[in-house]
């Protein structure tokens, strides 16, 4: 079992990474001072694969688990379905000692965390991410959120999990497109923090795509180490944590403008990373060689690199203008000045944004 710790004083928690460990979660929960009622939030696809194993593990240790399902997809990460989960919890008599488990990808993790943060002003929850993207990114760090038609994750809170429990065996049931989408966030960690890790990803492309378990555990662990270090230094994104948003200004705008359904998160972020790297090159920071290396690496993993033709550029600019990182109408972005080094909350002129998309 690979173990990491996110150090946040009284809100600290562990990230545990292994293979074939889902059946052990009930035993692990005995270490927490949680009540008997456990709400497992999932979608029908993931629940069919792993729900029974998780329910059995909890029942074997004396817990009283309830499976609460929402439809599968980013489209359903909204306040309506959050309200649906809250209603279910109230009807089932969940109290402040009850616990939630997010069993699924980023959508399930985000909405479960959001519900946990607001139910009776906050109850504990555990992340069991079943997608690569969720394992390396959204399950760690305590950001919660639901989407709004005007923008992604504009409604949310900071609420740390009690535990992140990663079973890499769940990746074998993941559709190839979903798996490759998760690789985008792994590439991001190399760009924002660790050039050697970036080179390691490039060198081990074939093993990653073949889902070599030793390589998977290594890249998941390193990604989580980077995020844990960043979050431990800046829990609420006052400065350093903003580097995790690389690619997300343009990427979130793509997701918003395509209706949260046409592009997976990692696919949108891939395009976002390329455009934001190109912006840095246009501004004279990132070298042409490093820009090309970022673009080639993303492309070589089969991720998209071009702006979708269905996206209206004027709408793209308007969406960027309401990005939650902006302050008092000023566009703030995270752009790479080198691989492994970022400019944080860099103020970008609207004319430079137009040049990026129109020239």
């Amino acid at each position: 079992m690979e173990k990491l710790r996110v150090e946040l004083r009284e809100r600290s928690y562990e990230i545990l990474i292994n293979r074939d460990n889902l059946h052990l979660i009930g035993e692990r929960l005995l270490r927490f001072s949680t009540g008997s009622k456990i709400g497992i939030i999932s979608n029908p696809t993931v629940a069919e694969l792993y729900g029974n194993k998780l329910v059995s593990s909890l029942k074997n240790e004396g817990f009283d688990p309830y499976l609460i399902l929402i439809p599968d997809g980013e489209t359903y990460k909204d306040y309506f379905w959050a309200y649906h989960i809250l209603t279910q919890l109230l009807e089932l008599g969940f109290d402040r000692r009850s616990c939630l488990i997010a069993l699924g990808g980023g959508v399930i993790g985000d909405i479960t965390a959001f519900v946990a943060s607001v139910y009776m002003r906050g109850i504990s929850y555990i992340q069991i991410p079943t997608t690569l993207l969720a394992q390396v990114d959204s399950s760690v760090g305590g950001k919660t959120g639901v989407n709004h038609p005007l923008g992604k994750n504009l409604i949310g809170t900071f609420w740390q999990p009690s535990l992140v429990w990663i079973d890499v065996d769940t990746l074998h049931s993941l559709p190839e497109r979903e798996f490759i989408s998760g690789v985008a966030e792994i590439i991001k960690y190399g760009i924002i923090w660790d050039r050697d890790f970036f080179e390691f990803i490039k060198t081990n492309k074939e093993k990653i795509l073949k889902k070599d378990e030793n390589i998977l555990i290594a890249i998941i662990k390193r990604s989580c180490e980077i995020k844990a270090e960043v979050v431990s230094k800046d829990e609420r994104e006052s400065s350093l944590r903003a580097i995790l948003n690389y690619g997300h200004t343009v990427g979130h705008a793509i997701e918003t403008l395509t209706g949260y359904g046409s592009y997976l998160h990692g696919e949108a972020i891939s395009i976002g990373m390329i455009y934001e790297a190109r912006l840095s090159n246009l501004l004279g920071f990132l070298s042409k060689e490093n820009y090309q290396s970022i673009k080639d690496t993303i492309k070589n993993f089969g991720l998209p690199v071009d702006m979708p033709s269905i996206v209206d550029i004027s709408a793209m600019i308007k969406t960027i203008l309401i990005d939650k990182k902006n302050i008092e109408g000023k566009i703030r972005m995270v752009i790479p000045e080198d691989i492994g080094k970022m400019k944080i909350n860099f103020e970008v002129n609207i004319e430079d944004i137009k040049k990026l998309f129109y020239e």
Side-chain angles (χ1 to χ4, degrees):
M1 182 87 72
E2 297 285 351
K3 297 182 180 181
L4 305 172
R5 187 169 177 83
V6 182
E7 294 291 349
L8 294 168
R9 297 186 177 87
E10 71 277 3
R11 296 180 302 285
S12 299
Y13 56 93
E14 287 186 318
I15 304 168
L16 303 179
I17 309 166
N18 207 347
R19 53 176 67 90
D20 189 28
N21 63 354
L22 272 183
H23 64 286
L24 300 174
I25 191 65
E27 180 184 340
R28 184 74 186 191
L29 254 65
L30 292 174
R31 305 186 188 187
F32 295 91
S33 58
T34 184
S36 61
K37 286 187 176 179
I38 308 290
I40 303 169
I41 316 302
S42 192
N43 64 51
T45 303
V46 176
E48 184 176 351
L49 291 168
Y50 307 112
N52 288 338
K53 183 180 287 190
L54 188 55
V55 167
S56 296
S57 176
L58 293 168
K59 284 185 174 180
N60 289 342
E61 302 300 336
F63 292 103
D64 189 13
Y66 295 86
L67 194 59
I68 300 173
L69 303 182
I70 67 171
D72 188 4
E74 186 79 32
T75 307
Y76 303 101
K77 196 181 83 172
D78 61 15
Y79 194 76
F80 173 85
W81 285 102
Y83 194 82
H84 167 79
I85 297 170
L86 290 165
T87 300
Q88 294 286 302
L89 298 178
L90 289 167
E91 291 178 347
L92 291 168
F94 275 59
D95 58 32
R96 288 179 174 176
R97 293 192 65 241
S98 302
C99 178
L100 301 184
I101 293 178
L103 177 67
V107 170
I108 292 296
D110 283 359
I111 199 169
T112 301
F114 176 73
V115 167
S117 75
V118 298
Y119 187 76
M120 295 192 173
R121 297 192 175 94
I123 62 173
S124 62
Y125 74 104
I126 291 166
Q127 293 274 12
I128 304 183
T130 60
T131 68
L132 182 60
L133 193 147
Q135 289 177 0
V136 302
D137 185 60
S138 59
S139 67
V140 180
K143 271 189 177 181
T144 87
V146 292
N147 299 330
H148 188 279
L150 294 180
K152 183 168 177 173
N153 292 334
L154 293 180
I155 303 166
T157 60
F158 287 95
W159 192 248
Q160 300 297 339
S162 299
L163 174 69
V164 178
W165 188 267
I166 297 174
D167 183 347
V168 297
D169 283 355
T170 62
L171 300 180
H172 292 300
S173 62
L174 196 64
E176 191 67 14
R177 184 184 173 194
E178 290 269 3
F179 179 81
I180 293 173
S181 172
V183 174
E185 289 284 0
I186 294 171
I187 294 171
K188 182 194 77 176
Y189 286 116
I191 297 169
I192 67 171
W193 196 262
D194 187 345
R195 177 183 278 273
D196 289 341
F197 185 46
F198 180 77
E199 296 299 329
F200 180 85
I201 295 163
K202 289 167 60 178
T203 302
N204 288 278
K205 185 191 79 170
E206 297 303 325
K207 288 183 179 180
I208 293 170
L209 292 178
K210 289 179 181 177
K211 300 180 184 176
D212 178 285
E213 286 194 338
N214 292 326
I215 290 293
L216 286 181
I217 289 174
I219 61 175
I220 290 168
K221 181 182 179 183
R222 182 58 186 144
S223 297
C224 288
E225 282 176 343
I226 293 170
K227 186 158 189 182
E229 185 172 354
V230 171
V231 171
S232 295
K233 292 178 178 178
D234 180 17
E235 181 182 2
R236 291 180 174 264
E237 203 174 291
S238 59
S239 56
L240 178 64
R241 184 169 177 164
I243 67 173
L244 300 172
N245 291 320
Y246 170 54
H248 286 60
T249 298
V250 173
H252 279 177
I254 291 171
E255 290 181 277
T256 299
L257 295 171
T258 56
Y260 302 119
S262 300
Y263 282 78
L264 298 176
H265 178 68
E267 294 170 340
I269 297 313
S270 294
I271 300 168
M273 286 193 288
I274 289 168
Y275 273 80
E276 291 172 28
R278 181 167 176 262
L279 176 63
S280 182
N281 175 249
L282 291 174
L283 294 173
F285 300 118
L286 186 69
S287 71
K288 186 176 181 180
E289 292 74 20
N290 281 331
Y291 164 69
Q292 196 63 48
S293 181
I294 290 170
K295 184 175 182 179
D296 289 346
T297 301
I298 290 170
K299 185 177 182 179
N300 287 340
F301 273 95
L303 288 157
V305 297
D306 296 316
M307 185 63 64
S309 59
I310 60 173
V311 170
D312 178 77
I313 298 303
S314 61
M316 165 68 68
I317 294 171
K318 288 179 182 177
T319 303
I320 288 173
L321 286 170
I322 62 169
D323 187 273
K324 59 183 177 294
K325 295 184 291 297
N326 298 341
I327 293 180
E328 295 181 350
K330 296 178 180 178
I331 301 170
R332 300 195 310 166
M333 297 177 69
V334 179
I335 56 175
E337 54 181 316
D338 196 356
I339 295 175
K341 185 179 181 182
M342 307 296 291
K343 295 187 85 63
I344 299 174
N345 293 331
F346 183 76
E347 192 173 312
V348 182
N349 190 293
I350 187 64
E351 296 305 317
D352 291 324
I353 296 290
K354 290 179 180 178
K355 186 186 299 184
L356 173 66
F357 291 117
Y358 285 118
E359 294 185 8

